[in-house]
Amino acid sequence: IASASNTTITAGGTDGFGDDDTYRQWLKTQIQSFAGCGTYLAYEARAKNADSRVLDVYVLKQGEPGYQKGKVKIYILTNPDTDLYNEVLFLVREACRDPAFRPVGDFVEVSYAGVTTQDINATLQITYPMKFYGLGVERNNRILAEYKRLLSQQINKPFKFDELCSMLTAKDADGIYALDAKPTTLTDNAYPEPIYPVLGSTLNVTSLAFS
C-alpha cells in the first residue's frame, strides 16, 4: 500500500479523552479493575470505565444492608440530563457481566443510584466584613447551590456542616469571603454529626437557612 486516506468522517464517540489528566485518570481506574478476582474495587473500576458519562460508582460490600452472597450489586451515577440514560446502564451491565472479567459465581445487578431528600432544620450564622454589605445573601445561596451540586455527584457523600462553612469562609474568585460561618446550634466547637443519604444514593438537602 503506497498511501491510504479516510473517505468518510465519523461523528466521534463518547469515550474519547479531552486531555492528558483525563487519560491518566482512566488508566489509573483501568489498572484498578484488575485488583483481584471479583473484588469491589475491580467492579467499581470496571463500571467507571465502561462509559465516560458515568460520574460515580458504588458496589455494595459484605456486611452492608442488602448485601447477598454471590450477588454483586452496583449503583451508578450519571448527570440527570444525560442522553440515552438507559444506554449507559446497558453498557455498564455488559462490561461487568463480560465472562472474561466476571468470576463464574458472581451474579451482577446494575442500577442507578437513588436520591435521598433530607430536611435539615438548621440555620447557619454567617458574618461578613462591612465592605461586603449587601453581597452576602446572593453569595450564601450560590455557595449552597455549589455544595448541593457536589453532593449530587457522589454516591453516599454526606452533608457536613464544617465543609459548607469552610466554603463560606474561603475567599472566592471575586475576593469575597465571610469572617465566620457556623450553625446556630454549635456548642463547644463541636459541629453536628454528618448527615448521610440512604446507602446507594445521593443526598439532596432542603430547609437549610442563613442568618
Side-chain angles (χ1 to χ4, degrees):
I1 298 175
S3 65
S5 62
N6 285 336
T7 57
T8 59
I9 300 175
T10 69
T14 61
D15 58 348
F17 303 104
D19 52 50
D20 288 346
D21 287 340
T22 304
Y23 173 71
R24 289 190 187 97
Q25 182 58 49
W26 175 88
L27 184 59
K28 180 180 178 181
T29 306
Q30 187 72 0
I31 293 171
Q32 181 183 311
S33 70
F34 299 106
C37 181
T39 65
Y40 79 88
L41 289 173
Y43 273 111
E44 283 184 356
R46 184 77 170 182
K48 284 178 182 176
N49 276 2
D51 191 271
S52 61
R53 290 167 289 186
V54 177
L55 294 177
D56 197 18
V57 175
Y58 185 75
V59 177
L60 206 63
K61 302 172 184 61
Q62 187 172 357
E64 293 180 333
Y67 173 82
Q68 293 176 272
K69 186 177 181 180
K71 175 184 274 191
V72 181
K73 188 167 182 60
I74 303 172
Y75 298 97
I76 66 170
L77 182 67
T78 64
N79 284 320
D81 56 352
T82 296
D83 293 334
L84 302 175
Y85 202 63
N86 288 327
E87 180 183 289
V88 179
L89 192 71
F90 172 80
L91 292 171
V92 172
R93 185 185 296 119
E94 290 301 295
C96 292
R97 289 180 177 177
D98 183 351
F101 169 80
R102 176 180 57 86
V104 174
D106 285 355
F107 175 79
V108 177
E109 180 181 283
V110 184
S111 59
Y112 280 110
V115 178
T116 300
T117 299
Q118 176 69 50
D119 289 337
I120 300 181
N121 297 312
T123 300
L124 294 184
Q125 181 177 312
I126 318 297
T127 305
Y128 282 96
M130 184 58 67
K131 60 183 177 180
F132 300 138
Y133 179 79
L135 301 175
V137 173
E138 185 278 332
R139 183 175 182 274
N140 292 343
N141 291 330
R142 173 167 51 83
I143 290 177
L144 176 59
E146 170 66 13
Y147 188 56
K148 291 176 70 173
R149 185 183 67 81
L150 294 175
L151 292 174
S152 71
Q153 293 184 343
Q154 296 183 56
I155 301 172
N156 298 338
K157 179 175 174 59
F159 173 91
K160 295 181 179 179
F161 284 92
D162 57 338
E163 281 186 345
L164 178 56
C165 290
S166 293
M167 292 174 66
L168 289 161
T169 54
K171 184 180 292 186
D172 60 24
D174 297 320
I176 305 173
Y177 58 90
L179 292 172
D180 190 31
K182 61 184 179 181
T184 55
T185 55
L186 184 66
T187 58
D188 299 326
N189 294 321
Y191 284 94
E193 290 294 317
I195 298 172
Y196 286 85
V198 173
L199 195 66
S201 66
T202 60
L203 186 63
N204 174 44
V205 298
T206 60
S207 302
L208 191 65
F210 297 99
S211 67

